[in-house]
Amino acid sequence: MEIRTRGEACGKVILFGEHFVVHGVPAIAAGISNKTTVEVEPSSEMLFIPGNQRTIPELTYRSINNVLSAMGIKGNFKVTLGGDLPTAGGLGSSAAFCVALAIAFAKQAGLTLSKEQINNFAYEGEKAFHGNPSGIDNVLATYGGVMTYTRGTTSKENKFEPLRTVGRFYLTVGITGKSSPTVAMVSKVGDFKKTKPDEFAELAKKAEKIVSEAEDSLFSGNMERLGALMNENELLLEALGVVSAENIKIINSARGAGALGAKITGGGGGGCCIAIAKDKTHAEQILVAIRKEGFDGFITTVG
Ligand code: PMV
C-alpha cells in the first residue's frame, strides 16, 4: 500500500442560481480548470498543513473527521493542501478539498470508490463548512463539466444533469479578498425568506426563469444573452442582500471593460465575482481592469 496518497478535484463557479438553489430552485454551475490537491499520509496525530492558503483550521479538522468517519476509516493522518484553486470563497474550494480527501483516503484504505460514493463522502465533509449545503459544490467537484442542479427535499432526491454547451468560454474571476462564511450568507437569505416570503417567492420565480433561459443560451452558444442573464441574476442577488461593496466594485470594473455580464458567484458578501468575456484576450483585459481597482483575480475556462 502507498504511504503517501493523493487526490485532486476541480473548483466550480455558480453561473446562475446560487442561494435560490438552497431553497429548491435549479442552478447552473460549472467545474473550472483550477484544482485543489490533497496529499495524505499516516501520522501519529491528526495534522493539517494549509500550504499558502487561507483556511479555517477548526472547520477543516472537523471536515477531515467527517469524511473519515463516513468512510469508516480509523487512524491519524497528515493532510497537506495544494493546487491552484484559491480558498477565496465562492469557488467551491471546501468541496474540492472534501472530494480530493475522499479520493486520497480511499487510496490509503485500498478502496475503489464510485463517483457517487466519493460525492456522498465529500458531502459529509462539506457539512462541517456549510452546515446545510445544497450539495451543488461537491457534485461539481466530483463530476466537473457544466450542470443544472436541483436540490430535493432529501439528499437522495437531489438531481443533477450535465448541460451541453457550445465550446469553451472564458471567465474572469475577481477576488474581493473579503472572506465571508457561506453559512452566514445562507442564513441571511433564510431570514429574508422567513420575514418576506412573498418577496422571496417573487425573486425565486425570476431566478428559475433566468436558469431556464440560460440553459438555452448555453446550448445555442448565445454568449451575449448569457451575459445579460448574468446581469439580471446579479440584481436578484443584490435584492437578497448578499452583495458587498467590494463585489459591486469588481462587477462595475468588469462591465466597464466590456464584460458581457458579471455577478457574484457562490455565497457572496465578499468572496468572488465572475465576468463573461468574449475571448481569452478580452478576459485578460477584464482582469487588468479589476486589478486597477486593487483586487486580485484570474482567468479560467468553462465548458
Ligand atoms: O460560496 P460557495 O462556493 O460555498 O457556494 C455556496 C453556494 C450557495 O448556493 C450560496 C450555498 C449552497 O449550499 O448551495
Side-chain angles (χ1 to χ4, degrees), residues 12-14 17-23 27 88-95 123 126 129-130 132-138 149 151 180-183 185-186 189 237 242 264-268 271-272:
K12 66 97 210 4
V13 288
I14 298 188
E18 52 273 270
H19 283 293
F20 296 102
V21 68
V22 174
H23 304 277
L91 301 176
S93 58
S94 61
Y123 183 72
E126 263 286 83
F129 292 105
H130 282 205
N132 177 25
S134 67
I136 190 168
D137 287 10
N138 43 285
Y149 180 89
R151 185 182 202 180
S180 164
T182 302
V183 67
M185 301 317 284
V186 168
V189 174
L237 293 161
V242 295
I264 64 158
T265 187
C272 292

Side-chain angles (χ1 to χ4, degrees), residues 34 86 88 91 171-177 250 272-273 283 286-288 290-291 294-300:
N34 300 64
L91 301 176
L171 291 178
T172 306
V173 178
I175 304 173
T176 63
I250 290 179
C272 292
C273 301
I286 297 171
L287 185 57
V288 169
I290 289 173
R291 288 205 165 124
F295 298 100
D296 202 1
F298 61 93
I299 292 165
T300 194

Side-chain angles (χ1 to χ4, degrees), residues 77-146:
F77 296 91
K78 178 179 165 194
V79 175
T80 308
L81 177 66
D84 65 350
L85 179 67
T87 54
L91 301 176
S93 58
S94 61
F97 173 71
C98 294
V99 169
L101 259 188
I103 294 169
F105 281 141
K107 290 180 189 164
Q108 286 286 330
L111 300 170
T112 307
L113 299 182
S114 65
K115 291 229 174 205
E116 193 185 346
Q117 286 172 310
I118 293 171
N119 184 36
N120 291 341
F121 292 141
Y123 183 72
E124 295 307 311
E126 263 286 83
K127 285 182 183 166
F129 292 105
H130 282 205
N132 177 25
S134 67
I136 190 168
D137 287 10
N138 43 285
V139 162
L140 267 297
T142 305
Y143 297 92
V146 184

Side-chain angles (χ1 to χ4, degrees), residues 138-195:
N138 43 285
V139 162
L140 267 297
T142 305
Y143 297 92
V146 184
M147 300 254 192
T148 302
Y149 180 89
T150 314
R151 185 182 202 180
T153 36
T154 66
S155 58
K156 279 209 174 74
E157 290 167 24
N158 295 344
K159 279 193 301 205
F160 48 93
E161 223 177 297
L163 277 180
R164 288 246 314 271
T165 64
V166 175
R168 255 180 193 211
F169 56 95
Y170 286 89
L171 291 178
T172 306
V173 178
I175 304 173
T176 63
K178 182 180 174 192
S179 72
S180 164
T182 302
V183 67
M185 301 317 284
V186 168
S187 129
K188 189 173 181 185
V189 174
D191 290 345
F192 184 111
K193 187 182 176 189
K194 233 181 260 162
T195 51

